[in-house]
Amino acid sequence: MELTLGTPSLLFPAVSLLLLAYTNRFLALASLIRDLQAQYSTTPRQSLAAQIDNLRRRVRLIQSMQAAGVGSLLLCVASMFVLFGGLAEVAGWLFGASLVLMMLSLALSVREIWISVTALNIQLADMESGR
């Protein structure tokens, strides 16, 4: 397979949309954390402490997701520069590494979704115990 300048550029829209989605997740979590902190300061409950721990893990995952996504984009750009310089084999390796970082970012995203479902289950259990 021959790597052309167009091949790495195909990743730009995908990575940009992923980073936008990750940023939206981060902003939603930041708002939720602020709300939970206010609730916890007035009435500390064990379920709120569990939610806060869950959110801390999710924020760290989103940070890693964003870092892997940005790293993917940077390696993609680097591969285009190297390809432009005529080093097709090096460009291929850089583009491959870019794809690996993209896969890592997506895998972390799945893990974060899994944790968010756990958070919803904590909330549902708290609601059920309050009946």
Side-chain angles (χ1 to χ4, degrees):
M1 180 185 106
E2 184 179 334
L3 188 64
T4 65
L5 282 173
T7 306
S9 68
L10 291 174
L11 221 54
F12 287 162
V15 173
S16 297
L17 287 174
L18 276 177
L19 291 175
L20 180 62
Y22 296 164
T23 300
N24 287 339
R25 280 184 184 174
F26 178 80
L27 293 174
L29 279 182
S31 176
L32 185 58
I33 288 169
R34 288 183 185 98
D35 292 343
L36 281 176
Q37 192 273 334
Q39 287 178 24
Y40 190 77
S41 65
T42 59
T43 52
R45 294 190 325 252
Q46 183 59 32
S47 64
L48 287 178
Q51 287 282 32
I52 290 167
D53 288 341
N54 187 293
L55 291 170
R56 182 176 289 114
R57 288 188 306 165
R58 289 177 62 195
V59 165
R60 278 190 301 240
L61 273 174
I62 290 175
Q63 181 183 22
S64 297
M65 290 159 38
Q66 289 175 323
V70 168
S72 174
L73 193 58
L74 286 172
L75 285 178
C76 204
V77 170
S79 100
M80 291 175 73
F81 273 118
V82 170
L83 192 59
F84 188 70
L87 301 170
E89 187 173 338
V90 174
W93 284 103
L94 287 172
F95 183 63
S98 173
L99 293 175
V100 168
L101 283 177
M102 171 76 84
M103 288 183 346
L104 175 64
S105 178
L106 292 170
L108 290 170
S109 176
V110 168
R111 178 69 181 132
E112 192 271 332
I113 290 169
W114 204 269
I115 292 173
S116 74
V117 169
T118 302
L120 291 175
N121 286 333
I122 292 169
Q123 190 72 27
L124 290 171
D126 189 41
M127 289 170 44
E128 287 173 344
S129 69
R131 281 194 224 172

